[in-house]
Amino acid sequence: MSKFSDKLKMLIEESGLKIYKLAKEANLDRTTIHRSMTGERLPSLEFVKNLSNYLRLSPTEKIELFDLYSISKIGDTVYEQRKYIKEMIERIASIHTDGDNVLGKKALSVTGKINDENTVYQGQYIVNSLIRNVLEDEVVNNPSPKINITVPFKYSFLYDLLYQLYLGANGKINIKNIIRLRKTPLSLQYSNYNLEILSHVMPFAFSAGNGYQPYYFYDSYDSYGDISLLMPYYIITNTRVINLSTDFKTAVLYNNRNIVNVHQEIFDNAIINSTPLILQHVNCTDMLLSYLEATNNFGIITHVLEPQPCFSWYYTDNLMEQHLKQEIENRDAILKLLSHYYSGHKAYTRRPMSIFSIEGLNYFVNTGIIANLPTQFVIPFSVEERKMLLSKLKNDISNGIYEVYAANPSKFLIPICSIQIYNTKGMDLYSSNNNGTISSSLIEEKSIAEAFYDFFESIPDSDLVHNREETIRIIDSFTEQCNDLLCNNERPQSM
């Protein structure tokens, strides 16, 4: 018996229907219903859908039944990972990526004085105040602010503060963060541990600048909650060190150059023996070089999630020449890299699966702007070009050349960023916004890459996306929208 079979049995019993009558009236196989109730057999998803419709289940009952069905089919660990990744992707949409943030550089100030003579601090409020004062002083009063930390993300106050300071300084703080990852996260207790670490890193990765640098090492031991450890965590600035207890309620402040140097030496040695979690780039040339290197190291891109469908297969050298703005710096070099990058795409024997949002495609059709081609670099596409790209896209989907799915907005919200998956070997996160900020973060960590690959592989068989026929109809509707725009442009303007 499984939780799914138990739940199904309970729902059928509550309906008051006998299995024979239920099978006959719902036109379903009686033996399959019986074996599903006893846990001897896991039916098809279509069978469960038909059965749940006939039982007239409430929305809550349906969600629970289908969740239990998924768990029975793929296992608790994989189910929890896929669920967490979906939620993580949807949370990206709320990550603040606008360089003109609510703080602004001028808003940064030191809210309190630091008593360097009082070296021991106890109590959560007092320790929080100390950390706020020390970090604000470092960012405001040091021309080259530096913050090195070994504190776990469980200390949410520290990372909320650090993120606000990072935003306020437009990413111009040198932050190095050493973090632990689990060696074997594939157990139910720790199935999402490494993914949770990534979710804490993402706000920094999608912000302006590339000053935040996380490094990781593998360990099965979690020092949090180990009361035998005295002061296992520390924060280093240019002039101070703060040692922290495991519960973050006791701190020792040092303002001694020798002690700072000793801590920094230990930290630097730890960095040497750790691995960068993300490789971040914030200019166009470096990004393109990084993409080309990733393709060489990891192989072809297997999945792409973007606000709009991936049209790169239809970009010609002439089209890029026409749309790349003349005034941008290093234009010829960028144009050459773009040509090399997109020509490499055309050599793929199998195109990556593309997942896009209907809202994003609507924006492209009405503006000619593609999210991963920011307007500070690229001239928007004309209505005729938009229609041409949609026509090529539809033909390739219809002919089975290109696997493309529109996300179901009631089930899956796609953020304004791009995620590229390189098989099980790596992934790249790309974002841009209207003020000219662009960012690309390459992630190579094995367990994270494998979890994301598994999630994207599962998407076509889920309810997160529309199927191929529905996606084609959606594209047809936007092609008609282009026709309407062309007709409106051709109408003579009234005097």
Side-chain angles (χ1 to χ4, degrees), residues 23 32 142 149 211 240 247 288 340-341 358 383-384 389 445:
T32 302
N142 197 302
I149 50 179
R240 296 181 177 91
D247 62 1
L288 288 170
H340 186 31
Y341 178 63
I358 297 172
V383 179
E384 291 86 351
L389 291 172
E445 200 282 322

Side-chain angles (χ1 to χ4, degrees), residues 82 117 134 162 232 239 271 290 299 308 325 348 462 468 470:
R82 290 179 183 177
E117 295 180 1
V134 168
L162 203 59
T239 58
I271 289 289
S290 175
Q308 294 97 16
K325 290 185 175 180
Y348 282 18
S462 72
R468 189 178 78 162
E470 292 167 340

Side-chain angles (χ1 to χ4, degrees), residues 419-438:
I419 300 177
Q420 294 185 154
I421 306 297
Y422 296 89
N423 209 306
T424 60
K425 298 178 181 178
M427 56 186 286
D428 192 272
L429 312 174
Y430 169 84
S431 67
S432 66
N433 57 39
N434 293 331
N435 71 354
T437 300
I438 58 175

Side-chain angles (χ1 to χ4, degrees), residues 352-390:
M353 178 195 302
S354 176
I355 302 155
F356 70 92
S357 79
I358 297 172
E359 181 182 3
L361 185 55
N362 180 64
Y363 182 76
F364 166 70
V365 167
N366 283 283
T367 65
I369 297 172
I370 292 179
N372 65 355
L373 298 176
T375 53
Q376 69 266 31
F377 298 115
V378 177
I379 299 169
F381 290 89
S382 68
V383 179
E384 291 86 351
E385 289 169 332
R386 298 169 216 172
K387 183 179 176 182
M388 176 271 294
L389 291 172
L390 288 173

Side-chain angles (χ1 to χ4, degrees), residues 228-410:
S228 67
L229 297 177
L230 185 60
M231 293 284 177
Y233 310 127
Y234 55 87
I235 304 168
I236 309 173
T237 68
N238 278 295
T239 58
R240 296 181 177 91
V241 170
I242 299 174
N243 286 163
L244 282 167
S245 61
T246 55
D247 62 1
F248 319 122
K249 293 180 180 179
T250 302
V252 179
L253 173 66
Y254 297 102
N255 188 25
N256 179 286
R257 173 48 55 188
N258 290 332
I259 295 177
V260 172
N261 288 343
V262 169
H263 279 77
Q264 188 61 54
E265 187 177 330
I266 294 171
F267 186 87
D268 290 342
N269 186 61
I271 289 289
I272 292 171
N273 291 286
S274 300
T275 305
L277 181 59
I278 61 173
L279 299 174
Q280 195 170 17
H281 302 286
V282 292
N283 71 68
C284 187
T285 303
D286 288 345
M287 284 182 193
L288 288 170
L289 289 171
S290 175
Y291 291 155
L292 291 170
E293 184 179 358
T295 303
N296 288 334
N297 293 339
F298 303 146
I300 65 172
I301 300 167
T302 54
H303 307 81
V304 180
L305 181 144
E306 294 177 315
Q308 294 97 16
C310 183
F311 292 114
S312 63
W313 316 101
Y314 317 122
Y315 299 158
T316 63
D317 288 347
N318 184 51
L319 195 65
M320 288 185 284
E321 169 66 39
Q322 291 176 6
H323 284 273
L324 194 64
K325 290 185 175 180
Q326 294 290 333
E327 65 272 17
I328 68 170
E329 189 177 354
N330 300 321
R331 183 179 188 274
D332 290 342
I334 291 175
L335 196 60
K336 187 176 180 180
L337 286 170
L338 282 170
S339 177
H340 186 31
Y341 178 63
Y342 288 129
S343 64
H345 279 196
K346 294 180 179 68
Y348 282 18
T349 55
R350 177 178 178 265
R351 293 184 188 178
M353 178 195 302
S354 176
I355 302 155
F356 70 92
S357 79
I358 297 172
E359 181 182 3
L361 185 55
N362 180 64
Y363 182 76
F364 166 70
V365 167
N366 283 283
T367 65
I369 297 172
I370 292 179
N372 65 355
L373 298 176
T375 53
Q376 69 266 31
F377 298 115
V378 177
I379 299 169
F381 290 89
S382 68
V383 179
E384 291 86 351
E385 289 169 332
R386 298 169 216 172
K387 183 179 176 182
M388 176 271 294
L389 291 172
L390 288 173
S391 175
K392 288 179 177 293
L393 178 68
K394 178 193 172 179
N395 287 339
D396 284 352
I397 298 172
S398 300
N399 293 326
I401 299 172
Y402 200 3
E403 190 176 5
V404 180
Y405 301 99
N408 183 344
S410 66

Side-chain angles (χ1 to χ4, degrees), residues 114 119 121 125-135 242 251-253:
I114 304 167
T119 57
Y121 295 77
Y125 176 80
I126 293 173
V127 171
N128 288 354
S129 297
L130 168 68
I131 290 174
R132 177 183 292 278
N133 294 338
V134 168
L135 296 190
I242 299 174
V252 179
L253 173 66

